[in-house]
Amino acid sequence: MTIQTLHTGLDTIWVVLTAAMIILMEGGFALLEAGFVRHKNNVNIIMKIFVDITIGTLCFYLIGFALMYGKDIAGMIGSSGFMLNGDLAHLDLSVSMDTYWLFQAAFVIAVISIVSGAVAERFNFRAYILYAVLMTTLIYPIAGHWVWGGGWLGNLGMLDFAGSAVIHALGGCSALAAAIFIGPRKGKFTPEGTSTIALPSNLPLASVGAFLLWFGWFGFNAGSTLSATDARIGHIAIATMLSAASGGAITMLYTLFRYNRSDAASVINGSLAGLVGITAGCAFVSDSAAILIGAVSGMLMLFATDWLEAKQIDDPVGAFPVHAISGIWGTFAVGLFAKDGGLFHSGGWHLLGVQVLGLIVLCVWGFALTWFGLKLIQLWIPVRSTEEEEEMGLDISYHGILAAYQEHEFIHHEDRYADIEKDHDLD
């Protein structure tokens, strides 16, 4: 066995393992979102995550990967690698193309899952499938090509190590567009404009989801080295940990002293905000900068949550505050704190300017393409569930599940939907 063979083997194991960690984050998304919404919509949340991981994976294999990493056309779009066939030699990887695709597929699944939570409890399931196809074949891959696939933003020097901008800012702004387009849940805001609270169904479940996401984030960030022997792995991991801890700690203390209680949902999202914020710069900034990035991410998340309420925009899980706002800040912070090229490290204004330009482009792209995509879908099928479906809950309306937690031990197969149809006059 040669040294090169051993090196390739280690890198392959590392990338596959970290890809699996990222895919496990889908379980985190599922538990987090299910815990934040009402019981009657828990199964619908799980089914949308299954859309992400099934339909999204296939779409990325067939089309998305080629548009993201195929042979570049004018810095705008890839043109080869559909179904992993064609010219991909320019990628110059230390692992096999199959291995690299698996890691990238885990990323695209995460992007669409960000949008899932923002439209919870009122999105037509069939319409969601169509939107997932749009996100995983066009919106995310083209944006990803601009930064990571040899496109124009990457050529300008934009730095986004693991996706604060490409994944989180893009996904969060797409989530904002979807939440505005579809409107708030019935009863969320009164005619006078005041907000009502839809209590989370299971905060312990949501917290377990957050812990799974936290665990998977080490694969997200450290795995982006694509090499098991990269000396940066340890620093990336500690920067990730410190930023997440800082985001959670600041929200815990802020809510404790402001409201005389430490708000569990805010702490959960504060920790996630810290993870999002450090994703762009985990390989580029110091430990102390990571702590600051996490703390600011947590506070910005709280302010953005209040802004959504003031604007009567309904985002049940805080997808926009956690992902978009923290992702924007984290990407911007790279321009300030990057040890090589950051403004505070005598790097001048170039990197910061490129980071700002990239953020503007990606956020506008995600918001606009989602808005127009939903407009097109609306021409075919309703994007929003009906009032009756929303009132009954999407579990029963779209999946035939009367309750996420069943009391009956056995039921005849042919009677599975009979009582539901009788009780609720379903066709």
Side-chain angles (χ1 to χ4, degrees), residues 76-88:
M76 299 302 295
I77 195 169
S79 61
S80 61
F82 297 95
M83 298 177 65
L84 297 185
N85 293 314
D87 183 8
L88 291 169

Side-chain angles (χ1 to χ4, degrees), residues 3 85 102 126 144 167 178 190 198 229 260 282-283 315 320-321 362 371 403:
I3 294 296
N85 293 314
L102 180 66
R126 290 176 177 85
I167 293 175
T190 68
T229 58
N260 201 31
C282 54
D315 181 353
F320 175 73
L362 293 175
W371 186 274

Side-chain angles (χ1 to χ4, degrees), residues 75 143-160 354 358:
H145 181 81
W146 295 342
V147 182
W148 292 336
W152 66 282
L153 284 173
N155 292 334
L156 285 176
M158 184 176 182
L159 295 179
D160 186 9
V354 171

Side-chain angles (χ1 to χ4, degrees), residues 120-419:
E121 303 195 300
R122 75 268 199 208
F123 205 98
N124 186 315
F125 186 68
R126 290 176 177 85
Y128 183 79
I129 293 174
L130 295 178
Y131 177 72
V133 172
L134 178 64
M135 173 61 86
T136 54
T137 58
L138 292 174
I139 300 176
Y140 169 73
I142 293 175
H145 181 81
W146 295 342
V147 182
W148 292 336
W152 66 282
L153 284 173
N155 292 334
L156 285 176
M158 184 176 182
L159 295 179
D160 186 9
F161 188 74
S164 286
V166 177
I167 293 175
H168 297 285
L170 174 77
C173 289
S174 299
L176 177 65
I180 295 173
F181 185 91
I182 199 170
R185 290 167 291 175
K186 184 180 178 181
K188 170 60 179 173
F189 299 102
T190 68
E192 293 76 27
T194 58
S195 174
T196 60
I197 298 175
L199 295 175
S201 62
N202 195 325
L203 278 175
L205 195 71
S207 68
V208 173
F211 294 142
L212 281 174
L213 288 168
W214 196 325
F215 170 77
W217 229 286
F218 291 105
F220 216 109
N221 288 357
S224 292
T225 60
L226 301 178
S227 173
T229 58
D230 194 312
R232 297 175 298 174
I233 289 175
H235 173 69
I236 291 168
I238 192 174
T240 301
M241 187 69 186
L242 289 173
S243 185
S246 180
I250 197 71
T251 50
M252 182 184 298
L253 296 174
Y254 179 82
T255 56
L256 179 62
F257 284 100
R258 180 172 180 180
Y259 305 112
N260 201 31
R261 59 181 175 83
S262 187
D263 184 67
S266 296
V267 175
I268 289 171
N269 276 346
S271 298
L272 295 177
L275 288 164
V276 171
I278 198 59
T279 299
C282 54
F284 309 130
V285 304
S286 66
D287 293 350
S288 57
I291 294 173
L292 178 60
I293 289 170
V296 174
S297 295
M299 291 304 300
L300 289 176
M301 180 277 300
L302 291 175
F303 298 150
T305 301
D306 292 340
W307 178 82
L308 287 178
E309 293 288 311
K311 295 297 182 181
Q312 298 189 34
I313 301 171
D314 189 11
D315 181 353
V317 304
F320 175 73
V322 169
H323 296 279
I325 296 302
S326 302
I328 290 169
W329 156 243
T331 307
F332 181 83
V334 172
L336 299 176
F337 301 114
K339 289 182 282 188
D340 183 10
L343 181 64
F344 295 160
H345 290 270
S346 302
W349 292 92
H350 175 75
L351 177 59
L352 184 61
V354 171
Q355 298 296 98
V356 171
L357 174 63
L359 283 169
I360 294 171
V361 170
L362 293 175
C363 290
V364 171
W365 173 260
F367 188 97
L369 266 290
T370 293
W371 186 274
F372 290 116
L374 294 177
K375 280 278 190 182
L376 290 175
I377 294 170
Q378 181 82 5
L379 296 176
W380 187 12
I381 56 176
V383 171
R384 179 163 183 146
S385 57
T386 66
E387 286 192 13
E388 182 184 11
E389 290 168 342
E390 186 178 343
E391 186 68 28
M392 289 190 300
L394 304 191
D395 290 359
I396 185 173
S397 299
Y398 297 141
H399 313 294
I401 301 296
L402 185 60
Y405 310 103
Q406 301 287 346
E407 296 180 1
H408 300 291
E409 187 173 355
F410 294 108
I411 187 170
H412 291 294
H413 180 76
E414 61 271 19
D415 296 332
R416 182 177 179 186
Y417 301 113
D419 291 340

Side-chain angles (χ1 to χ4, degrees), residues 24-74:
L24 182 61
M25 292 172 73
E26 293 305 296
F29 276 115
L31 296 179
L32 177 79
E33 294 175 14
F36 273 147
V37 304
R38 292 168 289 184
H39 281 122
K40 63 183 180 180
N41 298 302
N42 281 179
V43 175
N44 180 252
I45 287 291
I46 304 301
M47 291 302 295
K48 286 196 295 181
I49 298 299
F50 270 105
V51 169
D52 303 342
I53 204 170
T54 56
I55 303 296
T57 295
L58 294 172
C59 289
F60 191 65
Y61 175 76
L62 294 171
I63 300 174
F65 183 80
L67 299 185
M68 188 165 177
Y69 286 106
K71 190 173 182 180
D72 177 66
I73 299 178

